[in-house]
């Protein structure tokens, strides 16, 4: 009450414009106003009261405080709206110092009164501000096997209350304790900051139009960016493709306006360092040879010859290029050193046939000259050798860039590829680099998610993301072809002209561009190199290192649509650099130019360190406007990242679409090759323009219309619609695809839409993500034969519901159309009304047909296709990020949408339940309530059981040899599967993966990747204690077994495995107990023997 007296004194002495108060929740509004003697002030001040929970503003305690604000209204001012925040939840563990030991296994009896686990919310310290003894059960580095029980330290309690307590070396313990008590007499720091920041920003809006009253989120970064000088874009760096003999851009390694003397000095220093590198390489190789793990004389001889080859090639190289070719420095490849030395044995289905034919004729003499020049380079660098040859591989060339060609060896023509097999493998796509780029921030990404954003950041505070490119030279030729495989891959090398022509038969000693398994083996080798280059991620000096992971799942309370879903964070709180590599093209990203440059330097130097070739001529410097990567561009020169395609690719597609439209309008025949090139190029560009994907579905149908069992528009017909007599007649008449394509009505309709999109002369650039953390809304709905209902809920605030009845002409339409039209009408109304501009919209539906067509264009119904096209056209105009996804009918009931059309308002959001608590896109299968997944896994895995990997483990432990259990949340399933694929690629014979995940976002995001990576899978319906009814959606379970080194190599190629999966599917669907655990146990311990193999 003494503080109340101080406030009364302030009010009596001065006429303050704004007064903000904080007081414990025990005070009611009437008590406060009475204590302030507010009765005589109400004509002068307006008053507003707010209650704030500490945990809702990112705090880690259960404390609740009340905040009041008095604003003079005689000058036209009003009380600001109450601030809100959606910061990530915190717990005691976030404040724990795990370097404190000395805990007690049996603490004193008084400890049990306050004892809490570190994964719980903390105590309401303000309830007893003079008390500073609180006990916690927490981890400690001094007790790695079990947690300890100890009292919280003073600085931990201070952090729990969001204040920084000076260290013991700054203040004595007594003063620190008194200071802490003074903190505890007031509200937590995050509450103060959250309330005062929002109120002040509102009040400042009366003086500065830059601030707006509705922008109160603590993560709302709307500061005016200081413009950075535009340095321009070099045309040489815009295209990714460069000729093999392109010059090195030395300016990237020079100072601006460097003098001639400085240039000469730099070159001399390079020569000295390069000489030292060669000498050190020789000493290192000799030292390794003395301690080589091989004791057999034959193996030692192989090692000696390999080292001589490595040293010879490195000695003949220059600082910028490998003039004598390269060879992997195999002794540096750790567990893969033998594969690096000898190469991998190929996967043979049968013995390749003998074929000694000639090379394919070149289209022109100049073309033949270029091809022979490429061949001569292979001979000079000793990638071809003399030896016994069983078969010759012919060659041909394809254009590369503007004035170069790529030499391709046609192992299909000679029959070799038909006898070989190669596993499928994943490579990064354009979405991968989008997930490694964030918007510009005035603080570290850690501070951003914690809400610690500076109010007035300076220019140096801004993190401006940069990207750079590096390229692995002679990608396939870096890796050896195993000596037992070389006689199958000969080459006919012709030199000279006319009567002086000389033909020599040689054979490949390296992977050839054109062999079926060669892309897999080359990408596998580079993936292993990336792991070695990355090194120890826990090392603070490692520019590629990181210590923890921030997850940003949709439907979480702290979800930020303007940021990626998973962010790896360095020791300094910044986002860690990323390095996706599409074959030989690597893209390195960093949140600043310095971080990007340091990561690029490590990659380029370590690539050469391992014996791969770093192509300096193809290096592109760190930039906010880098060149294309896989033909697409991602720029960060603005406050938020944008994406587009190369101008020449845009112009090419635009011109071809116009040409195709001209042919269609004239009724002229369309060549299949031209039509296919337009379709494939367009589908590639849908990685950028995602809303165009459904338009190309009709193009694919038109190309397949000649096949049996297709209707007049190219769609596959159901069995009931198939006339088998006509189908067999068609099979007899058509052996191969026709040379022209029949243009259907659907193609004509979609072609009109595509021509309209490609109408601009310059490429269209689109934002990668929404711009602000509040650009988000959730919606869902239900439709019956008579009525419909749709609900929309923003991330904060009250939702809105629309109800209505169908018109008589609409009641007889199908349920698929009614479900789609119900959601589409409200969505289009909100978009056209400007309510969803720039926002990310998550739309839940229990209609699978609608979800599939909205995401992939998969529908035979014209009405549904038209709805999707209309929505996507409006989304593009208003920059709306639309995410329709399928949920089960049970979850729709939980959400409260299922009963809207029936006027049922007693469940889900209609009772005020937040929709984010009902859609578990960020919840792992093992975290669902009342499930028995872990016990079930233990029952048949036995001693092989491993705890599920954490998100951090996806990137490190999950790549190690052994058995791994993956249980990602649905929103992270695709990311986890891509890391699982990388693990299989690097260690195909040494890893076994088990994958479990609820069937959410399955059809929309990760079904394709899942089916490619798993050997064996089935669905577990929510009908048993294993996966109870409360889980709503089925559980998807899959196993990926390791390859074996002889046919059939991959277990999924065994047909009985499919039948077994179907059998188990029925077991879990009917709740019958047919001994599925015994079946799984036998399959697990002897997968090949289970089928008699």
């Amino acid at each position: 009450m003494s503080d109340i007296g101080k406030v009364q004194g302030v009010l009596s002495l001065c006429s303050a414009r704004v007064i903000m108060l904080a007081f414990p929740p025990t005070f009611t509004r009437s008590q406060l106003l009475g204590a302030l003697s507010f009765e005589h002030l109400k004509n002068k001040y307006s008053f507003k009261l707010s209650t704030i929970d500490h945990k809702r503003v990112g705090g880690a305690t259960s404390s609740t405080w009340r905040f009041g604000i008095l604003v003079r209204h005689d000058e036209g001012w009003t009380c600001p709206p109450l601030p809100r925040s959606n910061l990530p939840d915190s717990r005691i563990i976030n404040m724990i110092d795990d370097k404190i030991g000395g805990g007690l296994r049996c603490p004193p009896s008084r400890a049990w009164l306050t004892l809490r686990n570190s994964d719980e919310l903390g105590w309401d310290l303000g309830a007893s501000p003079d008390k500073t003894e609180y006990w916690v059960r927490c981890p400690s580095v001094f007790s790695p096997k079990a947690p300890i029980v100890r009292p919280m330290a003073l600085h931990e309690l201070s952090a729990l209350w969001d204040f920084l307590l000076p260290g013991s070396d700054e203040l004595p313990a007594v003063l620190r304790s008194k200071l802490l008590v003074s903190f505890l007499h007031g509200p937590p720091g995050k509450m103060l900051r959250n309330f005062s920041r929002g109120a002040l920003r509102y009040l400042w809006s009366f003086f500065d139009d830059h601030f707006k009253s509705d922008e109160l989120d603590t993560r709302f970064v709307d500061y005016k960016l200081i413009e950075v000088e535009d340095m321009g874009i070099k045309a040489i760096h815009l295209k990714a493709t460069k000729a093999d003999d392109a010059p090195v851009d030395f300016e990237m390694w020079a100072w601006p306006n460097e003098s001639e003397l400085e240039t000469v000095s730099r070159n001399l220093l390079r020569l000295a360092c390069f000489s030292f590198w060669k000498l050190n390489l020789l000493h290192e190789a000799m030292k390794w040879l003395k301690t080589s793990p091989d004791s057999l004389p034959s193996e030692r001889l192989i090692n000696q010859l390999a080292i001589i080859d490595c040293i010879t090639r490195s000695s003949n190289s220059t600082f910028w290029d490998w003039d004598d070719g390269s060879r992997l420095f195999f002794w540096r490849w750790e567990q893969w050193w033998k594969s690096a030395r000898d190469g991998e044995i190929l996967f043979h289905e049968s013995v390749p046939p003998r074929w000694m034919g000639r090379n394919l004729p070149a289209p022109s003499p100049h073309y033949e000259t270029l091809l022979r020049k490429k061949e001569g380079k292979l001979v000079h660098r000793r990638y071809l050798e003399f030896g016994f040859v069983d078969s010759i591989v012919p060659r041909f060339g394809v254009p590369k860039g503007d004035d170069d060609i790529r030499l391709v060896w046609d192992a299909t023509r000679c029959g070799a590829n038909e006898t070989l097999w190669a596993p499928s493998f994943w490579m990064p796509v354009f979405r991968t680099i989008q997930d490694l780029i964030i918007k510009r921030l005035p603080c570290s990404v850690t501070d951003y998610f914690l809400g610690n954003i500076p109010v007035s950041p300076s220019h140096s505070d801004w993190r401006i993301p940069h990207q750079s490119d590096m390229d692995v030279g002679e990608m396939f030729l870096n890796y050896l072809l195993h000596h037992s495989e070389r006689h199958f891959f000969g080459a006919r090398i012709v030199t000279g002209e006319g009567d002086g022509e000389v033909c020599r038969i040689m054979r490949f000693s390296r992977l050839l561009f054109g062999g079926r398994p060669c892309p897999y083996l080359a990408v596998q080798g580079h993936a292993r190199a990336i792991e070695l280059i990355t090194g120890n991620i826990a090392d603070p000096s490692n520019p590629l290192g990181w210590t923890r992971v921030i997850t940003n799942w949709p439907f979480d309370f702290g979800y930020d649509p303007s940021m990626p879903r998973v962010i790896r964070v360095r020791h300094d709180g910044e986002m860690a650099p990323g390095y996706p590599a599409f074959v030989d093209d690597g893209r390195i990203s960093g949140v600043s130019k310095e971080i990007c440059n340091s990561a690029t330097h490590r990659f380029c130097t370590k690539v050469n360190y391992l014996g791969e070739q770093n192509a300096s001529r193809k290096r592109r410097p760190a930039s906010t406007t880098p060149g294309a990567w896989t033909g697409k561009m991602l720029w960060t020169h603005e406050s938020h990242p944008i994406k587009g395609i190369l101008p020449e690719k845009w112009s090419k597609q635009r011109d071809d679409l116009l040409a195709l439209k001209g042919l269609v309008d004239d009724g002229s025949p369309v060549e299949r090759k031209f039509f296919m090139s337009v379709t494939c190029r367009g589908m590639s560009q849908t990685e950028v323009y995602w809303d165009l994907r459904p338009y190309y579905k009709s193009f694919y149908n038109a190309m397949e219309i000649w096949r049996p069992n297709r209707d007049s528009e190219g769609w596959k017909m159901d069995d009931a619609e198939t006339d088998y007599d006509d189908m067999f007649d068609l099979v007899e008449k058509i052996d191969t695809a026709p040379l022209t394509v029949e243009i259907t009505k659907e193609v004509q309709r979609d072609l009109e839409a595509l021509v309209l999109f490609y109408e601009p002369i310059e490429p269209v650039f689109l934002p990668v993500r929404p711009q602000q953390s509040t650009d988000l809304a959730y919606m869902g709905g239900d439709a019956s034969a008579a009525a419909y209902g749709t609900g929309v809920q923003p991330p904060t605030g009250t939702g809105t519901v629309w109800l209505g009845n169908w018109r008589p002409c609409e009641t007889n339409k199908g349920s698929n159309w009614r479900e789609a039209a119900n959601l589409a009408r409200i969505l289009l109304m909100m978009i056209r009304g400007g309510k969803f501009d720039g926002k990310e919209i998550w739309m839940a539906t229990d209609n699978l047909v609608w979800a599939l067509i909205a995401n992939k264009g998969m529908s035979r119904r014209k009405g549904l296709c038209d709805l999707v096209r209309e929505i996507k056209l409006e989304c593009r105009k208003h920059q709306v990020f639309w995410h329709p996804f399928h949920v089960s009918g049970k979850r729709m009931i939980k959400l409260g949408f299922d009963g809207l059309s029936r006027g049922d308002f007693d469940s889900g959001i209609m009772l005020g339940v937040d929709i984010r608590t009902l859609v578990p896109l960020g919840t792992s299968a093992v975290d669902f309530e009342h499930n028995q997944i872990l016990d079930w896994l233990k029952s048949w895995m036995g001693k092989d059981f491993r705890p599920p990997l954490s998100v951090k483990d996806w990137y490190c432990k999950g790549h190690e040899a052994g058995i791994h259990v993956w249980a990602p949340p649905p929103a992270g399933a695709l990311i986890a599967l891509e890391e699982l694929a990388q693990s299989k690629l690097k260690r195909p014979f040494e890893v076994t993966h088990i994958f479990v995940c609820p069937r959410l976002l399955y059809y929309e995001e990760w079904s394709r990747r899942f089916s490619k990576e798993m050997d064996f899978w089935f669905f577990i319906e929510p009908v048993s204690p294993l996966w109870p009814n409360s889980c709503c959606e089925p559980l998807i379970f899959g196993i990926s077994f390791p390859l074996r080194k002889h046919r059939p190599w991959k277990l999924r190629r065994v047909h009985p495995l499919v039948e077994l999966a179907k059998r188990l599917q029925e077991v879990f669907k009917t709740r019958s107990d047919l001994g599925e655990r015994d079946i799984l146990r036998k399959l697990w311990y002897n997968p090949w023997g289970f089928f008699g193999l």
Side-chain angles (χ1 to χ4, degrees):
M1 296 302 292
S2 61
D3 291 337
I4 293 293
K6 294 178 182 178
V7 175
Q8 291 175 339
V10 171
L11 292 174
S12 62
L13 291 176
C14 65
S15 183
R17 290 184 173 180
V18 180
I19 298 176
M20 288 182 286
L21 307 172
F23 45 94
T26 53
F27 271 76
T28 64
R29 180 186 181 93
S30 58
Q31 287 175 333
L32 177 66
L33 296 181
L36 289 176
S37 302
F38 188 70
E39 194 64 30
H40 70 283
L41 298 174
K42 63 182 180 182
N43 295 328
K44 195 173 184 181
Y45 287 90
S46 59
F47 179 72
K48 183 169 284 190
L49 190 62
S50 172
T51 301
I52 299 180
D53 292 334
H54 192 199
K55 63 181 180 180
R56 292 300 182 189
V57 293
T61 75
S62 57
S63 176
T64 300
W65 279 70
R66 311 196 80 181
F67 289 80
I69 184 167
L70 289 86
V71 178
R72 276 176 50 181
H73 51 65
D74 54 355
E75 297 181 10
W77 290 23
T78 59
C79 284
L82 302 181
R84 296 181 178 272
S85 177
N86 55 351
L87 292 172
D89 292 341
S90 295
R91 294 293 185 267
I92 299 176
I93 188 65
N94 297 95
M95 316 303 168
I96 288 296
D97 183 355
D98 62 356
K99 295 185 288 297
I100 298 178
L104 301 176
R105 298 297 180 189
C106 297
S109 58
R110 67 179 186 276
W112 299 104
L113 298 176
T114 62
L115 180 64
R116 292 194 181 183
N117 294 323
S118 58
D119 58 352
E120 299 177 359
L121 276 177
W123 312 263
D124 183 1
L125 305 181
S128 302
D130 297 322
K131 178 181 177 180
T132 58
E133 184 179 10
Y134 294 89
W135 288 73
V136 64
R137 182 182 288 108
C138 63
S140 172
V141 296
F142 300 102
S143 179
K145 295 184 178 180
I148 65 173
V149 176
R150 63 172 177 85
M152 293 276 286
L154 293 179
H155 68 278
E156 292 174 323
L157 290 173
S158 179
L160 203 61
W161 211 242
D162 307 326
F163 289 100
L164 180 62
L165 193 66
S168 57
D169 54 343
E170 300 179 38
L171 285 178
V174 176
L175 294 180
R176 295 170 73 238
S177 179
K178 290 183 178 180
L179 184 59
L180 173 60
V181 170
S182 68
F183 289 155
L184 299 183
H185 276 84
K190 286 184 179 177
M191 287 187 180
L192 287 173
R193 289 193 289 269
N194 183 70
F195 181 79
S196 60
R197 180 179 296 170
L200 290 174
R201 286 165 65 93
Y202 172 80
L203 297 174
W204 286 339
S205 65
F206 288 96
F207 303 102
D208 189 349
D209 293 337
H210 173 61
F211 294 96
K212 297 179 181 179
S213 60
D214 58 344
E215 299 172 355
L216 298 175
D217 193 329
T218 57
R219 283 186 287 157
F220 194 98
V221 184
D222 59 348
Y223 311 104
K224 292 180 179 177
L225 290 177
I226 301 175
E227 294 297 329
V228 182
E229 181 182 359
D230 184 12
M231 302 302 293
I233 307 169
K234 280 191 172 184
I236 192 174
H237 292 144
L238 192 58
K239 287 187 178 181
T241 304
K242 294 185 181 180
D244 291 339
D245 55 355
V248 177
D249 183 8
F250 297 107
E251 292 182 9
M252 285 191 288
W253 289 272
W255 290 323
N257 303 318
E258 186 174 81
S259 66
E260 183 177 354
L261 179 60
E262 289 171 335
T263 302
V264 172
S265 301
R266 186 187 301 278
N267 290 334
L268 291 175
L269 184 59
R270 285 195 183 112
L271 290 175
C273 293
F274 190 54
S275 299
F276 175 78
W277 175 79
K278 293 179 182 179
L279 185 62
N280 180 69
L281 184 68
L282 176 61
H283 290 167
E284 182 186 293
M286 293 299 100
K287 183 179 179 180
W288 179 89
L289 190 60
K290 293 178 181 178
T291 60
S292 170
D294 287 325
S295 57
L296 296 176
S298 59
E299 287 291 326
R300 290 186 61 83
L301 178 60
I302 293 175
N303 289 338
Q304 291 171 0
L305 294 176
I307 287 177
I308 290 174
D309 192 25
C310 291
I311 299 302
T312 301
R313 293 176 183 274
S314 62
S315 300
N316 294 333
S317 64
T318 64
F319 187 89
W320 297 108
D321 202 2
W322 298 76
D323 294 336
D324 196 26
S326 65
R327 178 165 180 169
L328 302 181
F329 302 144
F330 59 91
W331 60 90
R332 291 175 169 172
W333 283 68
E334 298 180 3
Q335 68 267 38
W336 297 300
W337 70 272
K338 279 199 173 183
S339 296
R341 185 194 67 180
D342 303 332
E344 297 280 2
I345 297 177
L346 305 183
F347 304 94
H348 286 278
E349 297 275 13
S350 59
V351 179
R354 182 177 178 82
W355 194 88
M356 302 298 288
R358 295 186 175 275
N359 293 326
L360 299 174
S364 67
H366 175 68
Y367 216 77
E368 179 68 23
T369 301
L370 292 176
L371 289 173
R372 293 189 182 185
K373 182 180 178 181
K374 295 280 186 179
E375 291 175 342
K377 190 175 182 180
L378 297 180
V379 175
H380 171 71
R381 297 193 171 186
R382 305 195 302 285
Y383 297 147
L384 295 173
E385 65 182 19
F386 289 102
F388 174 73
V389 172
D390 264 334
S391 179
I392 288 180
V393 183
R395 51 90 169 140
F396 64 93
V398 295
K400 177 184 178 183
D402 296 329
D403 54 358
D404 196 13
I405 64 168
R406 190 186 304 276
L407 185 60
V408 182
W409 300 87
D410 192 356
T412 300
R413 184 178 179 85
C414 69
N417 279 348
E418 294 181 5
T419 67
L420 295 171
W421 176 81
S424 62
F425 60 98
W426 173 83
M427 286 191 298
V429 292
F430 186 62
R431 177 188 52 78
T432 309
I433 65 170
Q434 294 180 58
D435 291 341
L436 298 172
I437 290 295
I438 59 175
K439 61 185 179 182
R440 295 187 179 186
L441 296 176
C443 58
S444 68
V445 69
T446 301
D447 288 337
Y448 173 79
F449 274 94
L450 292 176
N452 300 328
I453 301 175
V455 177
S456 300
S458 63
H459 178 261
S460 60
D461 290 334
W462 286 96
R463 277 70 169 173
I464 303 176
H466 280 66
Q467 302 168 81
S468 66
D469 291 295
M470 63 88 60
D471 190 277
V472 178
E474 299 182 338
M475 176 70 176
F476 283 46
L477 301 174
N478 279 304
Y479 305 99
L480 289 176
L481 186 62
H482 197 272
H483 62 87
S484 64
E485 306 284 352
R486 297 177 184 178
H487 62 281
F488 295 124
F489 301 98
R492 188 183 299 275
I493 306 300
V494 180
T495 57
E497 296 181 1
D499 297 335
E501 278 192 350
V502 177
C503 177
R504 293 179 293 174
I505 304 299
M506 304 183 74
R507 67 182 191 180
F508 277 91
S509 62
R510 306 295 177 98
L511 298 180
L512 65 158
F513 192 87
R516 173 168 289 175
C518 294
Y520 170 80
L521 295 175
V523 173
Q524 179 189 68
H526 191 50
R528 292 170 172 175
I530 292 174
E531 180 174 313
L532 298 174
I533 291 169
T534 303
N536 181 14
I537 61 172
D539 183 4
S541 63
N542 182 359
L544 304 177
W546 50 279
T547 57
R548 63 189 186 90
V549 170
I550 294 177
T551 56
N552 183 39
W553 306 129
F555 284 88
D556 281 359
F557 280 95
Y559 175 58
D560 186 339
S562 67
M563 300 293 280
R565 294 187 190 176
V566 177
I567 300 175
R568 286 173 285 180
V569 181
R570 308 191 325 162
H571 66 282
D572 58 359
E574 301 288 0
M575 183 178 180
Y579 176 76
F582 187 84
V583 191
D584 58 339
D585 296 327
R587 168 62 60 88
I588 304 169
S589 59
V591 294
S592 67
K593 188 173 184 179
E594 294 74 18
I595 291 177
C596 184
N597 282 335
S598 62
T600 305
H601 177 263
R602 180 179 176 93
F603 265 107
C604 293
T605 54
K606 288 292 185 179
V607 162
N608 283 328
Y609 173 84
L610 294 172
E612 289 185 316
Q613 297 185 31
N614 168 37
S616 301
R617 65 185 181 279
K618 298 183 180 181
R619 173 89 167 269
R620 291 188 289 194
S623 172
T624 57
T625 53
W629 188 79
T630 68
K632 295 94 181 174
M633 293 187 293
L634 180 62
W635 287 357
T636 57
H637 65 300
E638 297 181 355
S639 59
H640 297 81
I642 58 175
K643 57 184 178 180
I645 62 175
L646 281 171
E648 55 265 32
K649 289 185 177 292
W650 174 274
S651 299
K652 177 66 174 174
Q653 185 69 1
R654 179 177 179 272
D655 295 343
D656 284 355
L657 286 171
L658 290 173
L660 178 61
K661 187 176 185 301
L663 293 174
V664 172
D665 292 343
D666 296 341
S668 303
V670 179
E671 291 185 3
R672 182 180 186 85
K673 184 177 180 180
F674 170 70
F675 191 82
M676 184 180 295
S677 68
V678 174
T679 305
C680 294
R681 189 188 311 115
M683 283 300 295
S684 173
Q685 293 176 5
T686 60
E687 287 191 77
V688 177
Y689 309 117
W690 61 273
D691 54 339
L692 298 185
R693 185 174 291 267
Y695 294 93
Y696 287 104
K697 180 64 178 177
S698 61
F699 284 53
Y700 272 100
N701 287 345
M703 288 192 293
E704 301 297 314
I705 199 171
W706 62 276
R707 296 186 184 276
N709 201 25
R710 300 273 177 163
D711 65 12
S712 60
E713 294 289 342
W715 295 94
K716 286 185 179 180
M717 292 189 294
D718 299 332
D719 289 343
E721 301 173 352
T722 304
D723 187 334
Y724 287 98
D725 293 335
D726 292 343
M727 184 182 72
F728 290 133
D729 292 340
L730 186 63
V731 172
E732 293 178 0
K733 295 177 182 178
I734 301 179
D735 296 326
T736 58
L739 298 179
T740 58
V741 174
E742 179 182 345
I743 302 300
T744 65
K745 293 181 179 179
E746 290 185 352
V747 170
Q748 297 179 32
R749 178 194 60 200
D750 293 340
L751 181 59
E752 293 285 347
L754 291 171
V755 169
L756 181 63
F757 176 78
Y758 282 93
E759 185 177 11
I761 302 298
E762 296 297 327
V764 174
F765 276 79
L766 303 176
V768 173
R769 286 182 287 270
Q771 297 186 3
Q772 307 298 343
S773 62
T774 53
D775 291 342
L776 179 65
Y778 305 105
M779 67 181 300
D782 176 60
S784 62
Y788 60 86
T790 302
V792 176
Q793 179 186 313
T796 56
T798 306
T800 306
V801 172
W802 289 266
L803 304 174
N805 296 320
W806 295 113
R807 292 175 294 182
C809 62
E810 296 170 329
T811 56
N812 294 328
K813 293 189 176 181
S815 61
N816 291 338
W817 182 89
R818 288 196 300 269
E819 294 277 6
N822 167 39
L823 293 167
R825 287 177 178 180
I826 302 303
L827 179 63
L828 288 170
M829 180 189 71
M830 298 292 284
I831 293 175
R832 288 166 176 162
K835 304 296 185 182
F836 284 169
D837 285 2
K839 293 184 181 293
E840 182 174 281
I841 310 301
W842 287 87
M843 176 188 286
T845 176
D846 60 352
N847 190 279
L848 181 58
V849 174
W850 170 240
L852 288 177
I853 182 178
N855 283 278
K856 301 179 180 180
M858 300 171 65
S859 175
R860 295 179 56 191
R861 307 300 177 187
K862 181 178 182 298
L864 295 181
C865 289
D866 292 342
L867 276 178
V868 170
R869 288 179 179 85
E870 187 178 3
I871 290 173
K872 294 201 171 185
L873 183 62
E874 294 298 328
C875 286
R876 188 190 313 140
K877 290 179 180 178
H878 295 264
Q879 293 189 354
V880 175
F881 300 82
W882 179 43
H883 297 286
F885 67 102
H886 178 254
V887 299
S888 68
K890 296 176 184 177
R891 190 163 303 282
M892 291 297 284
I893 295 174
K894 272 190 174 184
L895 287 167
F897 293 135
D898 184 74
L900 289 181
S901 60
R902 301 188 301 271
D904 182 4
F905 303 141
D906 59 354
S907 63
I909 62 169
M910 300 307 296
L911 295 179
V913 179
D914 196 307
I915 192 173
R916 290 171 292 184
T917 64
L918 302 173
V919 183
L921 296 189
T923 304
S924 167
V926 298
D927 294 328
F928 273 62
E929 293 183 353
H930 312 303
N931 77 83
Q932 301 174 7
I933 295 299
L934 294 182
D935 293 336
W936 177 70
L937 291 175
K938 292 176 184 177
S939 68
W940 55 266
M941 290 181 66
K943 63 181 180 180
D944 290 336
F945 174 76
R946 303 289 187 275
L949 298 172
S950 66
V951 179
K952 180 180 179 181
D953 290 337
W954 295 354
Y955 300 93
C956 44
K957 188 177 180 180
H959 290 237
E960 299 173 359
I963 299 169
H964 305 295
V965 177
W966 301 71
L974 179 58
I975 301 172
L977 284 167
E978 289 173 351
E979 293 302 317
L980 184 151
Q982 284 290 89
S983 174
K984 289 177 56 179
L985 176 64
K986 292 184 286 188
R987 296 175 174 86
F989 305 103
E990 305 164 31
V991 291
T992 304
H993 299 288
I994 294 176
F995 190 92
V996 289
C997 185
R999 197 201 62 189
L1000 286 166
L1001 298 183
Y1002 174 71
Y1003 300 105
E1004 295 79 13
E1005 292 188 1
W1006 54 277
S1007 61
R1008 183 179 179 88
R1009 188 78 264 145
F1010 175 81
S1011 62
K1012 285 183 176 293
E1013 300 304 331
M1014 296 296 114
D1015 294 317
F1016 170 76
W1017 69 88
F1018 54 84
F1019 289 15
I1020 301 175
E1021 298 293 334
V1023 294
S1024 66
L1026 170 63
W1027 190 246
N1029 187 71
S1030 60
C1031 297
C1032 298
E1033 287 79 22
L1035 178 72
I1036 300 181
F1037 169 83
I1039 304 179
S1040 172
F1041 292 102
L1043 299 182
R1044 69 174 184 174
K1045 297 188 178 181
H1046 49 87
R1047 296 182 63 219
W1049 295 296
K1050 197 175 182 68
L1051 192 65
R1052 70 178 296 171
R1053 304 181 80 197
V1054 179
H1055 181 71
L1057 188 66
V1058 179
E1059 299 301 323
L1060 177 63
K1062 292 180 180 178
R1063 177 184 173 188
L1064 290 174
Q1065 180 84 44
E1066 290 301 319
V1067 168
F1068 289 106
K1069 184 181 293 186
T1070 61
R1071 309 190 201 183
S1072 58
D1073 184 7
L1074 299 180
E1076 86 282 353
R1077 300 190 186 194
D1078 291 336
I1079 296 174
L1080 287 171
R1081 188 182 297 112
K1082 293 176 182 178
L1083 177 66
W1084 174 256
Y1085 283 112
N1086 190 6
W1088 293 99
F1090 186 86
F1091 299 103
L1093 299 175

